DNA sequence: GCATCATTTAGATGATTATCTAAATATCGA
DNA sequence: TCGATATTTAGATAATCATCTAAATGATGC
């Protein structure tokens, strides 16, 4: 179960992750996605209701998280299902901890 | 020997750290400071020579790192001595790993 | 005090980016 | 197919921020 397979981050991805995490709202969104993972699906709707942002803005943030590799999107009909890529997050933390 | 005393990050500091780390150049600077720690002092000059930036820009970045609590500055006459606050960095990583 | 070296501050500029509205696309159920 | 729901795209705007130059501050040694 989530045996951290060795994830290798390119410099570019490392930067993308750092930027993705630097936006407070994005961090909150990521946390939300992570917290809901247990229950399975996590659509945009639930997130949007918490934050006071438009669907377009949320879409933008989610794309940033996805581009950075921090979340994966699986589509299930109308809604999307998001999940945190903890392997990637931990690879990032691992690299940072080397400082 | 750096027995990690419990550092508590405010939400604000957490954000400041994330933003400080999100700038590639700032990350490089922080890494440089960390790597030179063993030899003791780490002035701006050495950093500035590596990166191709003005003294003013470097000063700006260092202030961001300091404001975030990631580095401390001690003045020694003309030059400054920088050191990484690993306790703070690890508190940040710790919090991120909770996602 | 003056010249020099190290850093900071002020102020400006350009790039990046978070956000919005409006329109487009996609999926489902009736 | 139509209408409703969910998400994306396009395009615009405003805020943030990295960077610079020029000037200011501060410390050292002559």
């Amino acid at each position: 179960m989530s045996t951290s397979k060795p994830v290798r981050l390119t410099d570019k991805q490392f930067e993308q992750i750092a930027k993705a995490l630097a936006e407070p709202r994005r961090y909150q969104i990521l946390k939300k996605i992570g917290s809901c993972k247990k229950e399975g699906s996590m659509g945009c709707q639930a997130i949007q209701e918490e934050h006071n942002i438009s669907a377009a803005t949320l879409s933008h943030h989610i794309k940033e998280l996805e581009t950075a590799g921090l979340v994966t999107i699986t589509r299930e009909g109308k809604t999307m299902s998001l999940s945190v890529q903890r392997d990637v997050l931990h690879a990032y933390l691992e690299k940072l901890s080397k400082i």
Side-chain angles (χ1 to χ4, degrees), chain A:
Chain A
M1 36 326 239
S2 87
T3 354
S4 55
K5 55 173 134 71
V7 174
R8 183 155 291 283
L9 303 180
T10 64
D11 285 354
K12 183 169 184 206
Q13 188 175 10
F14 183 75
E15 288 180 18
Q16 284 174 327
I17 292 170
K19 289 202 188 211
L21 293 172
E23 234 287 312
R25 192 156 265 153
R26 233 151 23 209
Y27 167 71
Q28 295 296 336
I29 291 169
L30 188 66
K31 221 167 52 166
K32 176 81 175 174
I33 295 170
S35 74
C36 291
K37 186 59 207 312
K38 296 108 195 179
E39 326 162 2
S41 167
M42 179 66 202
C44 284
Q45 300 299 301
I47 300 174
Q48 203 189 336
E49 276 153 23
E50 287 203 11
H51 302 271
N52 216 8
I53 54 179
S54 70
T57 299
L58 179 57
S59 178
H60 162 71
H61 284 316
I62 286 174
K63 194 194 288 179
E64 297 278 308
L65 289 170
E66 192 202 13
T67 302
L70 286 170
V71 309
T72 49
I73 304 179
T74 52
R75 298 185 177 289
E76 297 173 355
K78 273 202 286 196
T79 61
M80 68 190 338
S81 180
L82 301 163
S83 61
V84 175
Q85 290 301 101
R86 291 193 167 76
D87 288 343
V88 174
L89 177 61
H90 287 132
Y92 173 73
L93 299 180
E94 184 65 22
K95 183 164 177 181
L96 262 192
S97 73
K98 295 280 168 52
I99 285 181

